[in-house]
Amino acid sequence: MSSAPPEPSPAADRRFSVVVCAYTEDRWDDILAAVGSVRAQSLPALEVLLVVDHNPGLLGRLEREYAKDATGGPAEVRVLANAGPRGLSAGRNTGIAAARGEFVAFLDDDAVAERDWLRYFAQGYDDPAVVAVGGRTDAAWASGRRPAWFPEEFDWVVGCTYRGLPPGKVRVRNVLGGNASFRRTAFDAAGGFATGIGRDGDKRPLGCEETELCIRLSKALPSAVLLIDDRAVIHHKVPSVRERFAYFRTRTYAEGLSKALVAKSVGAGKGLESERRYTTRVLPAGVVRGLRDAARGRRGGAGRAGAIVAGVAAAAGGYAVGTVRARRGGVTFSSGPIEPIAPADAAAPVRPAASSASTGRTPLANGTT
């Protein structure tokens, strides 16, 4: 749990649009809980933008759910259809285009935010150089506890903060997309999330779309500062299927595929900068720790060490395959500026400028590449 609420500050005047992307009715209760946690914030959100990914049934059901309290409540809930191609990146871009706030925050549809989540985000923007603030994501395991074999170094597999990230309020290369916020102007400078990299429901357990965006943002605004404040906490639900080694192996392989696309887009130097330290220092230490626990008879030590080795191998294999596919033009991704849409026109399609595909060159809002 987070510490005591921060003292009042000018941050209390900042206005956040919170984007929650949803795609399946199987998460109905989770979606309502996510929205409810935003509406219960100590720093009230301006609005919640609930973006539905090509699911007319869920769209209609959510519209009916929130139509009944459209004129009341601590934050207006606006239900939108994803106006781009299927997937999380286009859904987030739809939310950005409709956002009216000075800041845009993102929350996963199967997570709940602690009460001071937005307030800690807002404090980060006291420095005008800060363009993005992320937080800490804790796992809520379906089984009630972490599987004994599951290494903390790989909690990113289930969308959570992992061992190896620095604690406190620190500058980072990229924030984690399910618990993050940006100045709205950041998207004017760097464009939106790249489609073709991130998730498409449960079909492809890919990721890294926020990594690619953050690196692109730092290139567009060299003086930009990106922070993580681990007091801004959310709790992310981990279903039982994701507690299994089969999912772990599939997800780590998919991460390798995703990293290959990021490297193609922004270059291997920046695209793998943090990963080099992670694989050469954090993971070897994790293997040693697991083996030491096994030698002392502690439960799960050998399994954790083995999972780290298997995860590295799977990610490396995915990266190799993804690199070959990218060089052959077998994958496509694109990004471009996001044109804001008026609230009354919120269901209209997002109209991005001309974008690039499978070239690694990303058009920016100022017309440069």
Side-chain angles (χ1 to χ4, degrees):
M1 301 292 289
S2 61
S3 57
E7 293 298 321
S9 76
D13 298 327
R14 299 201 167 113
R15 305 200 322 162
F16 281 82
S17 297
V18 180
V19 177
V20 178
C21 295
Y23 69 96
T24 176
E25 290 186 76
D26 293 343
R27 291 186 176 180
W28 179 258
D29 291 338
D30 296 332
I31 296 167
L32 300 188
V35 173
S37 74
V38 176
R39 302 184 91 184
Q41 289 294 298
S42 62
L43 175 62
L46 171 67
E47 60 188 352
V48 182
L49 301 167
L50 193 46
V51 183
V52 179
D53 192 17
H54 297 271
N55 185 332
L58 176 60
L59 179 69
R61 189 177 178 189
L62 286 170
E63 286 175 335
R64 292 188 295 272
E65 175 70 23
Y66 290 106
K68 60 191 179 187
D69 63 355
T71 58
E76 179 187 3
V77 179
R78 297 164 58 199
V79 181
L80 311 172
N82 179 0
R86 186 182 299 275
L88 181 58
S89 290
R92 286 174 173 166
N93 290 342
T94 298
I96 295 165
R100 296 177 294 184
E102 180 186 0
F103 305 92
V104 183
F106 299 93
L107 179 67
D108 281 342
D109 66 340
D110 54 353
V112 293
E114 291 192 1
R115 179 171 170 77
D116 298 310
W117 178 62
L118 287 181
R119 190 175 292 275
Y120 284 120
F121 276 175
Q123 282 195 338
Y125 294 107
D126 287 343
D127 181 350
V130 173
V131 298
V133 182
R136 187 177 87 241
T137 302
D138 291 340
W141 303 94
S143 62
R145 63 179 182 178
R146 170 188 301 277
W149 63 269
F150 203 114
E152 292 182 29
E153 292 81 0
F154 276 81
D155 277 5
W156 56 262
V157 166
V158 291
C160 296
T161 300
Y162 55 92
R163 183 192 291 266
L165 286 178
K169 186 176 181 180
V170 294
R171 188 169 181 171
V172 292
R173 179 195 67 180
N174 64 275
V175 295
L176 304 180
N179 180 7
S181 66
F182 294 83
R183 290 188 189 272
R184 178 61 181 79
T185 53
F187 303 108
D188 297 331
F193 290 92
T195 58
I197 292 182
R199 282 182 175 267
D200 176 2
D202 284 326
K203 297 179 177 63
R204 298 181 303 157
L206 300 178
C208 297
E209 65 275 11
E210 66 274 5
T211 301
E212 192 272 346
L213 170 63
C214 289
I215 295 173
R216 183 161 27 97
L217 176 58
S218 294
K219 287 185 173 183
L221 301 172
S223 62
V225 174
L226 292 80
L227 299 176
I228 283 183
D229 186 339
D230 66 6
R231 299 172 300 172
V233 180
I234 71 169
H235 300 271
H236 187 260
K237 187 175 181 179
V238 182
S240 57
V241 68
R242 297 188 183 184
E243 295 184 7
R244 301 171 187 166
F245 183 74
Y247 179 82
F248 178 90
R249 183 180 57 220
T250 300
R251 178 67 184 87
T252 52
Y253 176 79
E255 183 75 1
L257 292 174
S258 301
K259 290 296 184 189
L261 287 178
V262 171
K264 182 175 178 61
S265 175
V266 299
K270 282 292 183 183
L272 300 177
E273 183 179 54
S274 297
E275 288 72 15
R276 291 189 181 95
R277 176 187 174 277
Y278 173 73
T279 55
T280 59
R281 302 168 98 181
V282 175
L283 295 184
V287 171
V288 170
R289 188 163 40 249
L291 293 176
R292 184 170 60 238
D293 286 349
R296 294 174 177 174
R298 294 174 180 169
R299 181 172 173 264
R304 290 192 297 275
I308 291 174
V309 173
V312 171
Y319 184 82
V321 171
T323 300
V324 171
R325 289 179 181 174
R327 287 174 179 170
R328 292 177 177 175
V331 292
T332 60
F333 58 95
S334 63
S335 62
I338 295 177
E339 181 181 339
I341 54 179
D345 202 22
V350 179
R351 297 175 292 278
S355 59
S356 62
S358 67
T359 64
R361 293 170 60 82
T362 307
L364 304 179
N366 60 9
T368 63
T369 57

